[in-house]
Amino acid sequence: LEGVKAEIIHHYFKDTKIKTFLLSFCKRRRVLSTLEGFKKVRFVGNHYNPPQLWDFVHKNKRKYEEKIYADLGLNSKDTAMLYTGVDMDNIFVKREEFKNIKVCACATCGVKSNAQRVGVDKAKSVEVRKGVFESLGTVNIIILTNSALTKGALARSIITITEAKTIAFQDLDIRSSYNPEIQATGTGTDNIVVVSGFGQEITYVGGHAKIGEIMARAVTCVVKEAILKQNKK
């Protein structure tokens, strides 16, 4: 989309290669992150740390994050970052548009170790340990649009994106990692960032709206393709 730069940055932590998919904007955009809530940022990222770092990261979250931001020359207040154990080389991107409305979806998807049917598979804890992000099998989705989404539209888009992700799980018949007899609806650590633009104001992003239709179509596509890409390894 206009005013957006995308790149995969290769860097290191303790001699281990890590990767960050980074979106840079020419000016701050309003975003809604399922990790951090509403923010205005210049950067949105999806960060990969490999299995050999997971134990350290879980015990030293702040130190690890500080190193990431220092490497990338970023300020955490100006960035919405997601984290995953899925290699950024397996990211998939899809663009959809209708007239003057443009949507771009980006996803990394790991489903082998952590897929679950929410509300059916038993939760292992009341909440994720305070201050600790998980790097397990995870579906991370970033959605960008050139349209100016209201706060309500940003929030409603989470429903549309989640429904579209679940369609991808259904179409690929992804099974629960904990009970293979039942179909999964996602993983226990999925996250989303929705990025608003500066064009036409939109207040509704449900399935009856064209932006909801093309957003869902893009998400279903990228989730399917990212799962297949990751599972080839």
Side-chain angles (χ1 to χ4, degrees):
L1 299 181
E2 296 81 1
V4 181
K5 177 185 177 183
E7 58 186 325
I8 295 177
I9 300 171
H10 295 246
H11 43 137
Y12 288 86
F13 184 83
K14 294 184 177 293
D15 299 320
T16 300
K17 180 179 281 188
I18 55 180
K19 302 174 188 178
T20 304
F21 173 71
L22 190 67
L23 297 168
S24 306
F25 311 131
C26 58
K27 58 181 178 178
R28 283 182 176 81
R29 292 185 177 225
R30 185 166 59 190
V31 306
L32 175 58
S33 164
T34 53
L35 281 181
E36 300 180 90
F38 289 101
K39 296 181 75 173
K40 283 190 175 181
V41 301
R42 282 279 314 280
F43 307 94
V44 170
N46 190 9
H47 176 77
Y48 162 65
N49 58 290
Q52 57 265 42
L53 290 178
W54 290 357
D55 185 62
F56 176 86
V57 171
H58 288 177
K59 295 175 181 176
N60 302 273
K61 173 181 179 287
R62 181 172 294 180
K63 182 177 180 181
Y64 184 76
E65 284 186 334
E66 288 174 352
K67 176 64 164 62
I68 292 170
Y69 286 119
D71 280 356
L72 301 174
L74 303 178
N75 184 318
S76 60
K77 293 182 179 179
D78 207 23
T79 308
M81 188 72 73
L82 299 179
Y83 303 90
T84 182
V86 176
D87 195 319
M88 285 304 116
D89 289 346
N90 294 328
I91 197 166
F92 200 86
V93 178
K94 175 69 173 176
R95 176 172 160 163
E96 293 277 356
E97 57 184 272
F98 175 78
K99 294 184 178 180
N100 63 330
I101 300 172
K102 298 177 182 179
V103 169
C104 184
C106 318
T108 52
C109 302
V111 300
K112 286 186 175 180
S113 64
N114 197 25
Q116 67 169 199
R117 190 171 185 85
V118 68
V120 177
D121 288 318
K122 301 295 183 183
K124 292 185 176 180
S125 61
V126 176
E127 59 184 31
V128 175
R129 290 165 293 170
K130 185 176 181 181
V132 177
F133 60 78
E134 298 292 341
S135 300
L136 304 170
T138 295
V139 176
N140 279 348
I141 301 170
I142 300 170
I143 289 286
L144 305 96
T145 178
N146 65 333
S147 301
L149 303 182
T150 62
K151 285 187 177 181
L154 282 167
R156 180 58 178 80
S157 65
I158 301 296
I159 297 176
T160 298
I161 293 164
T162 302
E163 289 179 348
K165 176 201 70 176
T166 302
I167 290 170
F169 271 60
Q170 290 173 336
D171 287 352
L172 294 180
D173 195 26
I174 303 299
R175 295 277 149 175
S176 166
S177 302
Y178 311 100
N179 184 356
E181 294 183 359
I182 59 177
Q183 192 170 68
T185 54
T187 84
T189 53
D190 295 350
N191 277 298
I192 298 167
V193 174
V194 187
V195 184
S196 180
F198 304 104
Q200 171 187 347
E201 182 179 85
I202 289 180
T203 60
Y204 174 68
V205 192
H208 294 299
K210 272 297 179 181
I211 189 171
E213 175 193 329
I214 64 175
M215 183 182 291
R217 190 160 60 238
V219 169
T220 298
C221 174
V222 295
V223 171
K224 282 184 180 180
E225 295 297 333
I227 289 173
L228 295 173
K229 199 172 182 183
Q230 175 71 13
N231 286 351
K232 286 180 181 178
K233 290 199 167 184

